[in-house]
Amino acid sequence: MKCPHCGHEDSKVTDSRTVDDTVRRRRECLDCGFRFTTYERIQTGNLVIIKKDMRREEFNHEKLATGIRKACEKRPLPTGTVEKLVDDIETGLLNLGKAEIPSSVVGEIVMDRLKELDHIAYIRFASVYRDFADITSLKREVDTLISGRSPASQLPLIPEGEFNTPDRRKRASPSGRL
Ligand SMILES: [Zn+2]
């Protein structure tokens, strides 16, 4: 598991807990000490994405996360925001109760959520996804954003105090054994 801060390959697990069918692990980079969280889940495998060319592909959590992470790179978002967003979107997709979902629907959902979260991340994602033909169509999208809701209405995604578990962390073995 690469450190999102410095890219170092090794991290130790400082806390681990299971919520529903997901294991949440608090990790600490062995190189720079950066703390981050990973989520592990059983592959559900019953959601299929229909791509633009009509090919079918199994829904891939990591692929969705990568696209969103890229769009949010270096944006001033609280730690865990991207993972929370990806989880929310995935849960929303599964809750649609459909076996197959067009990739365009997934793209629209992601853009809607990013628009609420961070306008720069949204424009980044949209410019890749919508493949703006020229600077005029990109400008039109930016103008729509500026004339619309103010960024001040953007909501925090992470509830306060969720990761405050100092007691558990202290008890965790240094080797990160579970
Ligand atoms: Zn690091």
Side-chain angles (χ1 to χ4, degrees):
M1 191 61 65
K2 264 190 190 169
C3 169
H5 186 68
C6 74
H8 190 70
E9 301 274 359
D10 288 325
S11 60
K12 69 174 177 187
V13 175
T14 55
D15 184 48
S16 174
R17 64 177 61 184
T18 305
V19 183
D20 298 330
D21 60 345
T22 303
V23 184
R24 191 183 83 194
R25 296 206 162 95
R26 293 288 287 146
R27 292 172 184 272
E28 195 176 311
C29 174
L30 290 178
D31 191 31
C32 74
F34 186 75
R35 288 181 181 170
F36 56 103
T37 306
T38 57
Y39 296 87
E40 225 172 81
R41 80 199 59 221
I42 295 161
Q43 181 77 32
T44 44
N46 39 17
L47 184 59
V48 170
I49 302 298
I50 310 169
K51 311 218 301 182
K52 262 187 239 164
D53 59 8
M54 299 308 283
R55 275 187 303 135
R56 262 71 168 168
E57 192 180 274
E58 202 169 282
F59 173 79
N60 185 317
H61 178 90
E62 205 35 52
K63 203 170 159 184
L64 177 69
T66 304
I68 296 177
R69 236 177 257 140
K70 224 175 251 176
C72 293
E73 214 167 52
K74 300 211 166 91
R75 296 301 302 152
L77 300 167
T79 309
T81 304
V82 170
E83 276 59 39
K84 172 81 165 59
L85 180 62
V86 174
D87 278 357
D88 279 0
I89 291 171
E90 181 173 2
T91 306
L93 291 173
L94 291 170
N95 285 348
L96 291 174
K98 298 217 166 83
E100 299 191 327
I101 298 175
S103 61
S104 59
V105 172
V106 180
E108 293 297 328
I109 292 172
V110 172
M111 285 193 286
D112 275 356
R113 295 298 305 265
L114 285 179
K115 206 187 272 189
E116 288 169 21
L117 182 70
D118 184 89
H119 286 170
I120 299 293
Y122 163 73
I123 286 294
R124 279 183 190 158
F125 189 89
S127 66
V128 173
Y129 181 80
R130 286 229 170 97
D131 199 12
F132 292 127
D134 49 45
I135 195 77
T136 315
S137 48
L138 175 60
K139 182 180 182 301
R140 203 180 304 133
E141 191 64 36
V142 173
D143 288 344
T144 313
L145 276 180
I146 293 170
S147 62
R149 281 182 301 159
S150 88
S153 68
Q154 296 182 35
L155 301 169
L157 288 170
I158 306 293
E160 283 294 317
E162 197 195 327
F163 296 135
N164 289 343
T165 54
D167 290 337
R168 283 184 63 101
R169 191 172 302 144
K170 243 174 266 165
R171 263 185 275 125
S173 72
S175 67
R177 201 162 40 82
L178 302 181

